Amino acid sequence: MPAVTKQEADAYDKIIDAAAELAYLIESSDIELDEYALEELTIYLASHAEQVRNILRNVKRKIP
């Protein structure tokens, strides 16, 4: 098993925390995904946060 620095571990923890928040957001919608797909999607989105932010930066927030 390769050695992991504290910085790498902290970065991974942030991705996992963000993925959990994304999963909660998706689960609270009408979107239906199986558990595996939801996990894969949210981890992918969280690990590509900068690109996601760039894509969404000009989107106006939906007002309920």
Side-chain angles (χ1 to χ4, degrees), residues 31-42:
I31 300 170
E32 293 185 26
L33 293 172
D34 67 59
E35 186 176 331
Y36 178 78
L38 180 62
E39 180 179 350
E40 290 292 309
L41 175 61
T42 57

Side-chain angles (χ1 to χ4, degrees), residues 11-43:
Y12 183 75
D13 286 344
K14 286 182 182 183
I15 289 172
I16 297 303
D17 290 343
E21 290 184 42
L22 287 166
Y24 178 77
L25 176 68
I26 293 169
E27 287 173 332
S28 68
S29 73
D30 291 335
I31 300 170
E32 293 185 26
L33 293 172
D34 67 59
E35 186 176 331
Y36 178 78
L38 180 62
E39 180 179 350
E40 290 292 309
L41 175 61
T42 57
I43 290 173

